[in-house]
Amino acid sequence: MSFFRFAWLVLALCVPVLAGAAPDARVIVKLRADSSLLSDSGHATAQSVSVSGTPTEGSARMQRLGVKMGVPLVDGRQLGPRLHVAQAVGMSSAALAAQLARQPDVEYAVVDQLRRRSAIPNDPLFGSSTTLAVGQWYLNDPAADPTTPASINAVGAWDLTFGSSSVTVAVLDTGARLDHNDFVGKFLNGYNMIENPVRAGNGVGRSSDPSDLGDYLTQAEISADSSSYPPGQCTEDLTSSWHGMEVAGVVGAATNNAIGMASVGGNTTVLPVRVLGKCGGYDSDIIAGMRWAAGLTVSGISTLPTQAARVINLSLGSAGACSSAYQDAITEVVAHGVVVVASAGNEAKAVDAPGNCNGVIAVGALRHVGTKAGYSATGPEITISAPGGNCVNETGPCIYPILSASNSGTQKPVADSAGGSKYAGGAGTSFSAPMVSGTVALMLAVRPTLTPDAIRRILMRSARPFPTSGVSTATAACQAPGSVAQGECYCTTSTCGAGMLDASAAVAQAVSDGVASVAVTPAQPTAADTIALSGAASLPSAFGTTITNYHWDLIDGGGIVSSLDGDVNSVSVTAHASGAGQFQVRLTVTDDVHVTASTTQVVLVAAAPSSGGGGGGGALDGAALFMGLIWLGWLGHSRAARPQ
């Protein structure tokens, strides 16, 4: 028997011990396409066991990787063909990710972070109330009510379409109350993606039941189970949020049914995917939920949605950069024609992940008067802003909340038959995102062939301008996000997106207009790259059949691009940047019935990579030391040194 085969045997003997210990580290790992670990020949094909004792797919690839690097790893869920969750004890997630990233088998390794719903702020100006003084003000035509210029004019959009049941919006959140009386016939077969049965509260973990069982959490629960609730990551919350129900209500509650509320999406169907439980949800569960909702296979799940989502709503997130795992998942689902909409975040600073990932339509929150809601994030990643709910008084009822469906249970849900179906008002970017998702569903109802990029560009060009005055002399223009929270301010296109959501204008343009679309390759260019700009994805108007002319203009070279290379009247051109910075181009297309459409594209260019040597090294020494310790322990029949 070779040394490494012996080491694998010894490590396998250690797995039951690891399985009984609380995992300190969770990392999402993507293996390289040429990794020998992808060859499962000669290895057991039975399911392995995760740290929590949950069966996982594959042939223990993470355990085998652990043998190679000298770290006792245990397989978590497999998310995709080369995408895995690796778990370990005795180290932090960040330390494990750094060590894994240096391995030649690994394309990337990122911390499997916890994400939480974009919760309602507890500041007195941004609280919530069940006293809904103004009702669903945000659906009105702002021209009819000048006191609420941020209203999205959904009533105007409904003159064109009331939505279609053939368009599905997946709500990835805390789940849904499937018996709510304002959702009869609106929910498709959903899924609970929360792997940990304790955090899911269902005793089984992943299942085909997406019901929201409540996300309340007591200190006793936290203290009793450090494996499910890692120390320092979870706090007591004695009231369930029913957050997924509230988000689903804005998107697709039954409308024109003489019951309860109206939704933006009207006849749109809703696919509930439960990814947030007690103390939020892990990235790995959220990513699995995104793939499943888009109709892509997820290891261990034999069924797919009866109708794959055209839109995925993510009213969740946390501070930090977009991880490679999120970016991969978003790129994949967008390539399958799925629009991803995410809330920008409620910390009044930079945009949260995954809202800051490429390809996501990130949504900021507005007050009823069109200024940035004090809690809303700002930044260039925001595509558009929509009402998020706010109060105009520091005491008493909230005057301009967002009304939505909820449940009357304080902690555990109450059945509809016992009076569980109710409505409540709230505030947060969690409500802004589903207003955009519902609008996108209406756009797809009138023109199903729209691509995610075409939808983004229609939303941006149809948006109404932000107000620049009229609130108070003390209100200033919004600034780029920094370390200090930024309160109410006048939005700009560099801080809050292209403008205020106008559902009526967006649907009207979706019905008839052509769309100029710019694809940038590579998606994240550097100064060393030849930057390709293509208009091939542009669409003719509804009256035309093909694009007959393309024209490119360099609007602003930003000091790094002096001209565009190639024929500016062709479908594509290239550019070369002299350094880091940004430049802006405009593409104008004309179709065969002489309808024109234009769009602008800002291209961000990073500095050219340095020419230094690569990383790596050190793994052999670590492996030798680890194997030596195991060998000594084996010879001495020691049990005391096993991980706890």
Side-chain angles (χ1 to χ4, degrees):
M1 180 183 294
S2 71
F3 179 75
F4 274 100
R5 285 183 179 271
F6 174 75
W8 163 245
L9 173 62
V10 174
L11 185 62
L13 293 173
C14 294
V15 169
V17 181
L18 290 171
D24 298 308
R26 292 177 60 101
V27 175
I28 299 174
V29 181
K30 185 174 185 180
L31 297 174
R32 293 187 182 276
D34 60 355
S35 170
S36 61
L37 296 170
L38 297 176
S39 175
D40 296 329
S41 60
H43 298 281
T45 56
Q47 291 182 328
S48 58
V49 178
S50 72
V51 172
S52 62
T54 305
T56 62
E57 296 73 34
S59 54
R61 290 171 182 165
M62 293 299 97
Q63 292 183 35
R64 290 157 54 199
L65 177 59
V67 171
K68 295 180 70 172
M69 53 187 290
V71 175
L73 299 181
V74 178
D75 287 73
R77 285 283 182 183
Q78 182 175 342
L79 304 179
R82 293 187 283 133
L83 199 61
H84 297 258
V85 176
Q87 298 172 282
V89 296
M91 67 181 72
S92 69
S93 294
L96 178 59
Q99 193 166 350
L100 283 163
R102 293 194 295 267
Q103 304 307 309
D105 287 290
V106 174
E107 183 171 320
Y108 63 71
V110 296
V111 174
D112 187 6
Q113 296 188 58
L114 273 172
R115 306 287 170 177
R116 294 176 171 82
R117 63 186 188 272
S118 296
I120 299 167
N122 58 13
D123 306 78
L125 283 176
F126 310 120
S128 64
S129 171
T130 54
T131 303
L132 305 169
V134 187
Q136 293 188 268
W137 59 271
Y138 46 89
L139 299 178
N140 295 329
D141 181 352
D145 184 2
T147 65
T148 59
S151 298
I152 69 171
N153 196 10
V155 293
W158 296 336
D159 288 338
L160 299 171
T161 179
F162 215 57
S164 170
S165 60
S166 65
V167 179
T168 299
V169 176
V171 175
L172 273 63
D173 217 289
T174 64
R177 294 310 308 158
L178 304 181
D179 62 345
H180 195 288
N181 62 15
D182 213 356
F183 278 84
V184 176
K186 295 304 297 290
F187 286 127
L188 296 180
N189 67 315
Y191 214 87
N192 169 59
M193 282 291 169
I194 304 171
E195 179 181 5
N196 186 301
V198 175
R199 297 169 70 101
N202 61 3
V204 297
R206 289 186 176 176
S207 75
S208 59
D209 183 2
S211 297
D212 188 341
L213 303 178
D215 56 359
Y216 72 95
L217 183 62
T218 67
Q219 186 57 52
E221 289 177 290
I222 297 171
S223 301
D225 193 344
S226 61
S227 175
S228 298
Y229 307 115
Q233 293 191 23
C234 303
T235 57
E236 185 177 66
D237 187 351
L238 298 179
T239 304
S240 290
S241 67
W242 315 117
H243 190 262
M245 199 71 241
E246 294 177 347
V247 172
V250 176
V251 172
T255 306
N256 201 29
N257 65 342
I259 297 176
M261 63 176 289
S263 67
V264 177
N267 292 330
T268 301
T269 55
V270 177
L271 178 66
V273 184
R274 191 175 181 223
V275 296
L276 303 179
K278 292 172 178 283
C279 190
Y282 281 109
D283 287 345
S284 52
D285 291 339
I286 297 169
I287 289 170
M290 292 173 63
R291 288 177 50 82
W292 184 83
L296 303 175
T297 58
V298 175
S299 297
I301 300 177
S302 59
T303 60
L304 288 174
T306 54
Q307 187 168 292
R310 290 296 309 273
V311 187
I312 291 176
N313 188 94
L314 301 171
S315 289
L316 51 84
S318 61
C322 175
S323 71
S324 297
Y326 261 126
Q327 190 59 69
D328 265 6
I330 289 164
T331 300
E332 185 173 18
V333 299
V334 169
H336 279 76
V338 180
V339 180
V340 181
V341 180
S343 55
N346 292 342
E347 293 77 38
K349 296 181 182 178
V351 177
D352 285 347
N356 54 14
C357 296
N358 289 335
V360 172
I361 295 175
V363 187
L366 300 172
R367 291 172 62 86
H368 67 291
V369 292
T371 50
K372 182 188 85 73
Y375 53 80
S376 180
T378 56
E381 302 92 345
I382 296 178
T383 302
I384 198 167
S385 288
N390 60 274
C391 304
V392 295
N393 50 345
E394 295 192 32
T395 60
C398 186
I399 305 300
Y400 292 100
I402 305 300
L403 167 69
S404 196
S406 189
N407 188 271
S408 62
T410 301
Q411 292 187 335
K412 295 184 178 181
V414 175
D416 173 68
S417 59
S421 297
K422 63 170 286 189
Y423 303 88
T429 55
S430 279
F431 297 98
S432 309
M435 289 197 195
V436 172
S437 293
T439 300
V440 172
L442 296 179
M443 296 166 67
L444 288 167
V446 298
R447 197 172 180 184
T449 56
L450 289 174
T451 64
D453 186 67
I455 286 169
R456 172 197 299 275
R457 294 180 189 276
I458 291 174
L459 286 170
M460 294 174 69
R461 76 185 189 200
S462 64
R464 285 178 284 110
F466 297 116
T468 56
S469 63
V471 180
S472 73
T473 56
T475 303
C478 298
Q479 303 297 315
S483 58
V484 178
Q486 184 175 195
E488 180 185 9
C489 52
Y490 289 116
C491 282
T492 67
T493 54
S494 63
T495 55
C496 305
M500 301 187 292
L501 174 66
D502 188 327
S504 180
V507 174
Q509 291 189 25
V511 169
S512 61
D513 289 10
V515 182
S517 178
V518 178
V520 181
T521 306
Q524 297 175 307
T526 72
D529 296 318
T530 295
I531 304 169
L533 307 170
S534 173
S538 299
L539 299 176
S541 68
F543 313 105
T545 58
T546 186
I547 302 294
T548 58
N549 182 260
Y550 301 82
H551 181 75
W552 298 88
D553 291 294
L554 178 64
I555 299 174
D556 182 0
I560 60 172
V561 173
S562 58
S563 64
L564 299 176
D565 302 324
D567 183 358
V568 295
N569 291 311
S570 63
V571 66
S572 61
V573 292
T574 59
H576 293 83
S578 59
Q582 67 179 45
F583 65 97
Q584 187 174 9
V585 298
R586 178 175 58 235
L587 171 64
T588 302
V589 298
T590 306
D591 68 15
D592 53 352
V593 292
H594 309 294
V595 174
T596 63
S598 294
T599 191
T600 58
Q601 176 75 42
V602 175
V603 182
L604 303 177
V605 181
S610 61
S611 58
L620 181 60
D621 292 339
L625 176 61
F626 174 74
M627 295 307 173
L629 291 173
I630 287 183
W631 179 250
L632 291 173
W634 178 267
L635 289 178
H637 302 284
S638 172
R639 298 178 183 270
R642 290 180 179 174
Q644 300 298 310

